[in-house]
Amino acid sequence: MISEILKKSFEAKSTLDELLKHKLKSTGLSKTHFERLSGIQRKSLDAILKKSSKQTDIVNLLKLGEFLELSLEELLILHFKDRPTDEIKELQNSMDITYINKHFDLKTLASLDFVKIDDSVEDLTKRICEFFEIDSIYDYEQELNDALYSRTKRTFSDKMKDFWIKSSYKYFELIDNPNEYSRERLIDLIPKIKPYTQNVENGLLTIFQALFNIGVTVVFQPSLPKTQIRGATFFINKKPCVVITDFNKNYATIWFALIHELHHVLFDLDTIEDTKFHLSGEPDLFLLQEDKANEFASEYLLSSEKMRYIEKLINNPLIVSRFAKECQVHPSIIYSQYQWRQSELGNNYWGFFKEHFPDVNLATKNLNISNWDVQSLRLAAEKIRELLTV
């Protein structure tokens, strides 16, 4: 409402002073007579008409509006016309911080070094606009909502989730993979992925580069606080784009999430093209393939038949290690699958076998180009495009 009033105030032709003179002339009243009847002192009235007061007397302003037969909106439009620049700026700042608080979780974003907790309104506005390459903070909702939510009419009340989705979408737009997407080449590549799970430090990067070469952009992002997102698949510029997170901070889970999302790329891309994106780990009414994607990833990494064999020997690390090598997977894949299978039976093994899971940071250090503390998403996009281009 305030933004519309300010906009209209710049376009207003009349002034309160002009309207009062016309009204006094038409009623035959003098200015002094009006002041006496309305109870407005000359000093206060002149301050309103000449825009000279630092703090407007609201009661007197309303009295003047009643006499001029103006609606509250009309009165405010004329009141703010030609008001001092500092007052308009103060009001604009108030609008901006209200908008920012509504759409951004500043405390969480400060913990990610996206902003500083003591930033001014001007600093916050500049940071958001530069990061997303938008002209106004209000474009965060208008421009990006049109790109992401226009077809499905879905939005997210969760500010961090909404921020994650919008920044990811913009990120992929800026990466702008030049390679044409080929479903056939993806089908050929998938059987070759599994052995790279054994290469903790470079396996993920090698596979991300191979996927980028066939038009599938895959990036890794640290999991954001207050979200449960394990991965996501977007459809941008006629190409699939995938985000993998380190939710649960588990090496095997990252590979599972990758294969899970590639299932969506293979079998759900038509749906995702219509909905613009899909989040794994979050409820999604538009996609009914989560169980199939989970089964696909599980069977791909280690079939149920092989799992039934090795789970009887799970407490013998030497045998598990040898079996993992035969299956061309990292041993943590086996232990992770065992934990999941046991959880479905009501048994809690999540705290077991920790020594067999590699440090997830070893796997992601080459991929972890953090988006949140860079000046703009464009800078991060340029770095990741260079990294993925072979």
Side-chain angles (χ1 to χ4, degrees), residues 160-174:
M160 284 310 299
K161 191 188 302 180
D162 192 52
F163 175 83
W164 190 90
I165 292 167
K166 287 174 178 174
S167 60
S168 295
Y169 185 90
K170 188 75 173 182
Y171 189 38
F172 284 123
E173 274 194 327
L174 293 170

Side-chain angles (χ1 to χ4, degrees), residues 194-232:
K194 185 159 55 175
Y196 287 89
T197 64
Q198 300 169 99
N199 186 341
V200 174
E201 292 196 24
N202 296 305
L204 280 169
L205 175 58
T206 301
I207 294 304
F208 284 14
Q209 290 171 335
L211 288 165
F212 189 79
N213 193 48
I214 60 172
V216 182
T217 305
V218 183
V219 298
F220 168 81
Q221 288 188 6
S223 181
L224 278 185
K226 301 185 180 181
T227 66
Q228 305 289 313
I229 302 170
R230 293 196 313 268

Side-chain angles (χ1 to χ4, degrees), residues 194 301-302 306 322-329 334:
K194 185 159 55 175
L301 291 168
L302 196 71
K306 290 178 179 178
R322 288 176 178 173
F323 189 70
K325 188 171 290 188
E326 290 177 17
C327 296
Q328 295 187 301
V329 295
I334 295 176

Side-chain angles (χ1 to χ4, degrees), residues 38 153 169 275 310 316 336 343:
S38 64
K153 306 299 182 186
Y169 185 90
T275 62
I310 195 61
N316 189 321
S336 180
S343 70

Side-chain angles (χ1 to χ4, degrees), residues 78-94:
L78 294 175
H79 170 67
F80 284 113
K81 176 179 172 61
D82 300 326
R83 288 295 297 175
T85 304
D86 289 346
E87 183 178 336
I88 299 297
K89 183 180 179 182
E90 187 178 330
L91 187 59
Q92 184 65 52
N93 283 349
S94 176

Side-chain angles (χ1 to χ4, degrees), residues 92-103:
Q92 184 65 52
N93 283 349
S94 176
M95 292 164 48
D96 290 349
I97 195 60
T98 299
Y99 180 89
I100 290 169
N101 274 319
K102 179 180 178 181
H103 293 282

